[in-house]
Amino acid sequence: MLDRVGDVVGAKLSTPRRGCSGLAYSVDYVTEEMPFDEKIVTPGGIFYVDGPSVLYLVGSTMDWVEDDFTAGFVFQNPNSKGDCGCGESFTV
């Protein structure tokens, strides 16, 4: 999971253009706050949402899920109008 230390100030969620449906979820470490990012302070650390991605993610939830086969973030996005067949991308 996201447990890197050092010069990291938090984790950032963004929705880059990728995949066959148009947008994908991306979670990365960040080393500095950006002026237009939405800052969310949680008991587990500081989380940022990329400024341009906020409109695509309003009302969304994100959870870390582990099972016998995979481990990763699962997104529930009420703004998503469809997903690609492989589950890599979504459209709004």
Side-chain angles (χ1 to χ4, degrees), residues 1-88:
M1 204 158 84
L2 296 174
D3 56 2
R4 184 175 158 195
V5 293
D7 57 351
V8 173
V9 297
K12 183 177 191 173
L13 175 62
S14 61
T15 55
R17 299 210 175 273
R18 183 170 54 217
C20 48
S21 288
L23 298 169
Y25 300 106
S26 179
V27 180
D28 300 294
Y29 296 110
V30 291
T31 57
E32 64 180 300
E33 292 185 17
M34 299 304 288
F36 297 105
D37 288 351
E38 188 73 27
K39 181 178 181 179
I40 303 166
V41 178
T42 73
I46 298 174
F47 204 78
Y48 298 91
V49 178
D50 177 62
S53 300
V54 170
L55 292 176
Y56 303 129
L57 299 171
V58 171
S60 297
T61 60
M62 177 178 115
D63 196 12
W64 179 263
V65 175
E66 294 183 37
D67 62 27
D68 292 338
F69 303 104
T70 62
F73 290 107
V74 174
F75 298 89
Q76 299 296 321
N77 186 343
N79 306 300
S80 176
K81 302 299 182 215
D83 300 317
C84 68
C86 67
E88 180 182 320

